[in-house]
Amino acid sequence: MMALSLLSIALCFIPLAAVFLGIALLAKDFKIRYGLFACALGLAAVIPIAVIQVLSQDFFEAKTLGMVFIRALLFNGLIEESIKTLIFFLMPAKKLELKNFFHCAVLSGMALACFESLLYLISGYEHIGLRMGTAVIIHAVCGGLGGLFVYSVKAKQLRIFPFLYAVMLHGIYNYFAGLGRDTVYFYLAFAVILLAIAECRVQYLKIKTCLYGKTVL
């Protein structure tokens, strides 16, 4: 039973380990120590996010679909992405090119998501496999968007849109994902994931063009 539990816990972090290994092997000049630091920042964001969400949930009741949508934007979009982004300002941008800073931002988002998967596993969440295939991706992509915003600030080429997109897309994803698998609207969450990936690429290219005058990813 203990071995099975440890195996289940390990499975929650397989997406993070796989992506980390892929980046370490394929990304030029990627420093493992910065990748590990980025993961630590993602894990560090879990505590303040949980505290703020718990303290504020009693002040916001969602009794209609409209209020549920606003709640998703505030709790999952604004709170989570704001804290993830603020903590990621600790990442030393001067020592990293945009590409590897972005890689670290993605890893940071994935670390947080994988730890959340562990919490869902402990709580007995039934669809843990589906969560690992969707929520981990949206966290990673939105983490990347937040990282692009941070890099733009540190490079003195401010671009606020990556952060705004991270907030909106994360909130919209959670809204649709929370409607239940028995509704057709649930599957719009997958469309939001694809939109987030596309927007992440667009914002990356815009910042890269602004900094280096290049348009090739």
Side-chain angles (χ1 to χ4, degrees):
M1 182 64 70
M2 179 61 70
L4 178 60
S5 299
L6 292 176
L7 177 60
S8 298
I9 292 173
L11 286 174
C12 292
F13 289 91
I14 283 181
L16 175 62
V19 172
F20 194 109
L21 180 61
I23 292 174
L25 292 175
L26 301 176
K28 183 179 179 181
D29 299 324
F30 178 77
K31 304 297 184 182
I32 292 179
R33 65 179 182 275
Y34 290 125
L36 293 174
F37 183 57
C39 292
L41 292 178
L43 294 175
V46 173
I47 296 177
I49 287 173
V51 170
I52 293 175
Q53 288 179 337
V54 169
L55 292 178
S56 58
Q57 65 181 356
D58 292 336
F59 298 96
F60 194 96
E61 293 186 10
K63 296 182 179 180
T64 66
L65 284 179
M67 294 304 291
V68 171
F69 178 70
I70 294 175
R71 180 186 174 91
L73 286 178
L74 292 176
F75 279 68
N76 304 109
L78 184 61
I79 292 177
E80 292 191 21
E81 294 306 324
S82 293
I83 294 176
K84 283 164 59 179
T85 301
L86 284 173
I87 288 181
F88 204 70
F89 271 97
L90 296 174
M91 179 63 65
K94 291 184 178 180
K95 297 182 179 181
L96 295 169
E97 293 185 355
L98 173 62
K99 177 182 65 176
N100 284 322
F101 193 88
F102 174 74
H103 289 153
C104 287
V106 170
L107 290 173
S108 181
M110 289 197 73
L112 184 150
C114 289
F115 188 79
E116 279 193 349
S117 294
L118 175 59
L119 296 180
Y120 276 95
L121 176 67
I122 294 174
S123 67
Y125 186 71
E126 295 180 0
H127 308 297
I128 189 66
L130 181 62
R131 174 180 167 75
M132 290 176 64
T134 57
V136 170
I137 296 176
I138 198 70
H139 265 291
V141 176
C142 289
L145 285 167
L148 291 176
F149 166 71
V150 172
Y151 197 88
S152 75
V153 173
K154 294 199 171 194
K156 299 180 179 180
Q157 298 287 341
L158 176 62
R159 294 192 65 87
I160 188 67
F161 285 106
F163 172 71
L164 295 179
Y165 282 126
V167 171
M168 290 188 296
L169 291 168
H170 192 166
I172 294 171
Y173 160 81
N174 268 86
Y175 171 71
F176 286 125
L179 292 180
R181 299 179 66 184
D182 56 337
T183 68
V184 66
Y185 300 106
F186 170 82
Y187 297 95
L188 290 175
F190 294 93
V192 175
I193 291 174
L194 294 177
L195 178 60
I197 293 172
E199 192 57 47
C200 195
R201 175 182 172 83
V202 169
Q203 294 301 320
Y204 178 95
L205 291 175
K206 286 184 177 180
I207 292 178
K208 186 172 184 179
T209 300
C210 182
L211 292 175
Y212 310 119
K214 299 178 181 180
T215 58
V216 178
L217 184 64

